[in-house]
Amino acid sequence: MKKLRVVDILPVLLSLMLPALRLYLYEETRLSVGYLLVFEWLHSSLILFTLWHFFWLSWDFKEGNNKWYALGILGTFLALIALYFEFFETLSINVHIRLIPPTVLFLIIQYTLKSQQRLSRLHLEKEQLQTENYKAQLKTLRTQVDPHFLFNSLNTLRSMVRQQHSGSEQFILSLSDFYRQTLQHNEQTTILLSKELAVLQSYLFLMKSRNEKAVQVEFKIDESLLKYQIPTMVLQTVVENCFKHNSMTSKKPLQIVISSTEDRYICVCNNIQAKLKDEESSGLGLELIRKRYELMNVEQGFTFRQTPEEFCVKLKLIEP
């Protein structure tokens, strides 16, 4: 069922109420015969209703819309005026004078409504442009394969193969699995938490293979939450930031804790160990995560907090 708008209800109310108000205020009209009183009220209401739509369509006519429809309304309006003169030419109040107040009122109301419509349309167009912009940025982010990550992973693999490392085969499988799942889920808006964690595990295995004891990762996830959804690849984006902005050694390892909370959030925390020469952060990755939650109409989907010792990101889970 179509929802009634103000612009649909207002002309009906005004067209019925204004003639009724005039009939009530003027004593000579109240002394009229009953059926003539009703006829005058209905006829005046029809005149005002037509007048409203004539002015309303005149705005569209000015903008180049509904020209023929507006001309048709104009013809109908003039015909009703002629009928009004024919039936009520004996009335003492001139029809032109009686139409001036509602005309001014209608023009003021319609100007206000049209101005609000233009502002709403501009605001909607602005939001649509922002949405398309963020979608384009998101698509770029999600389809981007970091050449440095791939290059470093292949170098690590070469080193492991040369040393006949026992984990070489698992490294190859994890690298293959990571890219396979990344491509597989790339076009999905959300993904099961269990699948997102599987992708993250493959990524973390690659990173720990490269950095060995310099990385410590701990999972504290309530298994009952694995059936919930989460925006695709957000966990990897957050964890990737941990490696990007922090130094790590075997003596001072990077510590990452991925846990769930009672209010159905996934929390990713890491100790802060700033690099001597940190890459300049654009904040695009985290900003896009926030916008992704907004586009899905998820309130408070993304929050973060930072202390001198720790940086934490909270990601809201979405009910299946």
Side-chain angles (χ1 to χ4, degrees):
M1 184 176 178
K2 186 179 179 181
K3 186 178 179 180
L4 290 176
R5 302 172 301 170
V6 174
V7 72
D8 298 323
I9 301 174
L10 193 59
V12 177
L13 293 178
L14 290 174
S15 300
L16 293 174
M17 292 175 60
L18 290 178
L21 182 62
R22 187 189 68 80
L23 293 175
Y24 175 77
L25 292 177
Y26 289 94
E27 183 178 357
E28 63 271 17
T29 59
R30 296 200 301 270
L31 298 176
S32 302
V33 180
Y35 72 90
L36 289 177
L37 192 66
V38 173
F39 184 80
E40 182 181 357
W41 173 56
L42 293 176
H43 189 269
S44 298
S45 297
L46 184 58
I47 288 284
L48 293 180
F49 186 77
T50 308
L51 181 66
W52 169 279
H53 283 283
F54 170 70
F55 288 137
W56 186 260
L57 289 171
S58 296
W59 298 98
D60 292 334
F61 184 85
K62 182 180 179 182
E63 297 173 0
N65 302 322
N66 299 322
K67 287 188 175 181
W68 295 110
Y69 187 42
L71 289 174
I73 291 291
L74 174 60
T76 305
F77 175 72
L78 295 176
L80 289 172
I81 289 293
L83 287 173
Y84 196 94
F85 273 114
E86 181 180 349
F87 284 101
F88 299 101
E89 59 183 0
T90 58
L91 291 177
S92 57
I93 302 178
N94 187 281
V95 65
H96 294 91
I97 298 176
R98 286 164 58 178
L99 286 177
I100 290 175
T103 296
V104 174
L105 178 63
F106 287 177
L107 288 175
I108 293 174
I109 293 175
Q110 289 187 7
Y111 178 80
T112 303
L113 290 175
K114 284 290 184 179
S115 297
Q116 290 179 345
Q117 284 184 349
R118 282 193 292 269
L119 289 174
S120 298
R121 186 166 59 250
L122 289 173
H123 182 68
L124 179 61
E125 290 174 355
K126 182 180 178 181
E127 285 189 341
Q128 288 175 342
L129 286 173
Q130 288 179 339
T131 299
E132 291 302 319
N133 181 40
Y134 277 107
K135 283 183 177 180
Q137 294 179 24
L138 175 60
K139 186 176 181 180
T140 301
L141 181 68
R142 287 165 60 182
T143 57
Q144 175 181 328
V145 176
D146 188 346
H148 295 290
F149 171 74
L150 181 58
F151 178 76
N152 291 332
S153 296
L154 292 176
N155 273 341
T156 301
L157 177 60
R158 182 180 63 177
S159 175
M160 294 174 71
V161 170
R162 282 182 175 179
Q163 298 173 12
Q164 297 183 344
H165 196 287
S166 59
S168 300
E169 183 179 356
Q170 183 59 45
F171 186 91
I172 295 172
L173 292 174
S174 294
L175 182 61
S176 173
D177 190 53
F178 170 72
Y179 279 102
R180 178 183 59 80
Q181 293 187 78
T182 299
L183 293 173
Q184 179 182 351
H185 304 305
N186 185 53
E187 296 301 323
Q188 295 178 229
T189 303
T190 61
I191 186 175
L192 284 173
L193 176 61
S194 57
K195 292 184 178 180
E196 177 77 357
L197 288 173
V199 177
L200 182 61
Q201 290 279 16
S202 297
Y203 174 78
L204 286 172
F205 179 84
L206 297 174
M207 297 303 296
K208 286 191 287 186
S209 297
R210 282 167 45 188
N211 299 283
E212 297 182 348
K213 297 180 180 180
V215 179
Q216 296 178 359
V217 182
E218 184 178 3
F219 285 89
K220 299 178 180 179
I221 304 294
D222 185 347
E223 292 187 0
S224 64
L225 299 178
L226 295 178
K227 61 183 179 180
Y228 281 77
Q229 299 276 334
I230 192 169
T232 309
M233 304 299 290
V234 293
L235 278 180
Q236 189 224 323
T237 301
V238 173
V239 173
E240 189 176 347
N241 276 344
C242 299
F243 291 101
K244 182 179 179 181
H245 300 294
N246 292 280
S247 63
M248 62 199 83
T249 64
S250 57
K251 293 183 178 180
K252 292 184 178 181
L254 175 64
Q255 299 174 346
I256 302 174
V257 178
I258 303 169
S259 60
S260 58
T261 63
E262 293 182 357
D263 52 351
R264 296 173 184 172
Y265 278 85
I266 297 298
C267 188
V268 181
C269 294
N270 67 273
N271 58 327
I272 295 178
Q273 298 184 145
K275 294 181 178 179
L276 294 178
K277 187 179 179 181
D278 193 9
E279 298 179 27
E280 184 177 351
S281 176
S282 64
L284 179 61
L286 297 182
E287 176 63 15
L288 283 176
I289 292 175
R290 184 182 67 81
K291 289 302 299 183
R292 289 179 69 179
Y293 276 106
E294 286 186 3
L295 292 174
M296 289 187 290
N297 295 318
V298 178
E299 296 182 357
Q300 297 180 339
F302 166 79
T303 60
F304 72 90
R305 62 178 176 84
Q306 182 174 358
T307 67
E309 295 81 24
E310 186 180 54
F311 185 84
C312 288
V313 172
K314 289 183 68 177
L315 302 167
K316 191 173 187 178
L317 293 175
I318 304 168
E319 292 189 11

